[in-house]
Amino acid sequence: ERNEALGLLAFCWLLAAGVFIAVKWAGTYTPPWTLVFFRMLFATLFLLPFVASHYREMASSLRNHIWTILPIGMLGLALTQGALFTALHHSSAINVGIVFSVWPITAVILAALFLGDRLTLVQVFGVILCFGGVLVVVARGNPDTIVNMDFNTGDLLVIAAVASFSFYTVMIKKVTIDLPALPLLVLILGAATLASAPFFAWEIFHDERISIDWHDIAAIAYVAIPGGGLMYLLFNTGIAMLGAAKASVTFYFQTLFTVILAYFLLGEQLHIYHAAGIALIATGIIIVTLIKPGNSGD
């Protein structure tokens, strides 16, 4: 079962990496919030039949926790993806994939600040390594970029997405909504659909890329179903089989697959600073995730 779960999760992150590629490819034709809105909408509709037996509980949870579910959906899914998809219009998919990979570390920091989780000095060193790796990537290996604060707009938007998704993970830990994981996810996806609707409406009237051609249809179809509903279903299944802690570590497959797909499908180039950034981030992640407070001698 463990190997089956790992296989499902690897496929899940391959589909998720494909979203980065599809959004980057469609950037000339399809505005970012249009993709966010339809991804959330169709993912919600795709998953509804799988939670049919929980409709009554979901309705009750929605009534009792609407002002918890809405902010979680807005922050964790709508704003995170809006920032990511917009970033892909300004930066390479490789850069976006690598920089976004540090969100679990940011979540660890926020958990220490808001939930009282402790960090060891060694873990703090790991955090510093991670963010050093991010600086290497966003500066493209040029220290003058840091000194002059001359960062790419896309890379700054990814950092905003990292912050948004990290707050989301902390909020999820604090909520006490008595629902199984998949029905709760469907409610959050529905909330994200509502939160992204005003941005989508703005694009309809103000973005010249709004149109209906095969590029839009292809991109929306991919990010909504294989890269949306199916990906979320696979991740939820993998968590049920493997446990949340172990399943979350497999997230780094997404970064690996994004780099590979961007290289082969988009023709993006890998540079020395990418390798240096990945090495620093990976080392930091290993230090932070493997060394737990109070268990460093285990």
Side-chain angles (χ1 to χ4, degrees):
E1 185 173 287
R2 179 177 175 273
N3 289 339
E4 184 182 346
L6 288 173
L8 284 176
L9 287 164
F11 184 48
C12 154
W13 295 123
L14 176 62
L15 294 177
V19 171
F20 284 72
I21 308 307
V23 173
K24 180 67 178 176
W25 170 79
T28 309
Y29 313 98
T30 317
W33 282 101
T34 299
L35 290 169
V36 174
F37 173 75
F38 282 111
R39 187 185 193 209
M40 297 296 92
L41 175 63
F42 287 122
T44 304
L45 296 175
F46 177 89
L47 292 173
L48 276 174
F50 294 94
V51 295
S53 61
H54 296 279
Y55 284 169
R56 185 169 293 180
E57 301 163 68
M58 290 167 69
S60 174
S61 295
L62 201 54
R63 283 194 300 272
N64 296 329
H65 302 284
I66 183 67
W67 297 114
T68 301
I69 292 169
L70 273 176
I72 288 174
M74 182 182 352
L75 187 65
L77 296 182
L79 292 181
T80 298
Q81 290 180 77
L84 278 178
F85 289 9
T86 306
L88 284 160
H89 290 192
H90 300 279
S91 187
S92 70
I94 290 176
N95 266 40
V96 172
I98 292 172
V99 175
F100 189 64
S101 72
V102 302
W103 74 258
I105 303 304
T106 311
V108 167
I109 296 169
L110 292 177
L113 291 173
F114 296 109
L115 302 182
D117 294 357
R118 290 193 302 116
L119 285 174
T120 66
L121 283 175
V122 177
Q123 284 181 307
V124 171
F125 175 67
V127 168
I128 292 169
L129 282 181
C130 278
F131 287 105
V134 169
L135 279 177
V136 169
V137 174
V138 300
R140 287 160 173 75
N142 184 358
D144 289 343
T145 302
I146 300 171
V147 173
N148 300 324
M149 300 296 286
D150 186 24
F151 297 113
N152 178 287
T153 302
D155 294 332
L156 295 177
L157 283 168
V158 187
I159 292 171
V162 167
S164 176
F165 199 67
S166 301
F167 271 110
Y168 162 75
T169 59
V170 171
M171 289 169 70
I172 281 289
K173 285 182 180 179
K174 292 199 75 171
V175 299
T176 53
I177 300 174
D178 189 21
L179 265 183
L182 191 58
L184 178 58
L185 174 61
V186 172
L187 290 181
I188 292 171
L189 284 165
T193 305
L194 290 175
S196 58
F199 298 96
F200 168 52
W202 186 91
E203 286 180 344
I204 289 174
F205 294 105
H206 295 92
D207 197 303
E208 61 187 18
R209 287 169 294 179
I210 281 287
S211 63
I212 301 176
D213 64 15
W214 73 271
H215 298 95
D216 304 284
I217 294 168
I220 289 170
Y222 181 82
V223 302
I225 305 303
L230 180 58
M231 186 274 290
Y232 287 121
L233 182 63
L234 289 172
F235 183 60
N236 194 79
T237 305
I239 285 178
M241 295 171 69
L242 203 60
K246 290 180 181 177
S248 62
V249 175
T250 65
F251 161 77
Y252 297 104
F253 278 128
Q254 176 177 294
T255 307
L256 174 65
F257 290 142
T258 300
V259 171
I260 293 170
L261 292 176
Y263 181 80
F264 285 106
L265 298 182
L266 298 177
E268 293 186 358
Q269 295 302 304
L270 280 165
H271 299 282
I272 294 295
Y273 65 78
H274 286 134
I278 289 170
L280 287 169
I281 291 169
T283 304
I285 287 166
I286 290 167
I287 291 171
V288 173
T289 55
L290 292 187
I291 300 176
K292 306 292 184 185
N295 297 327
S296 54
D298 291 351

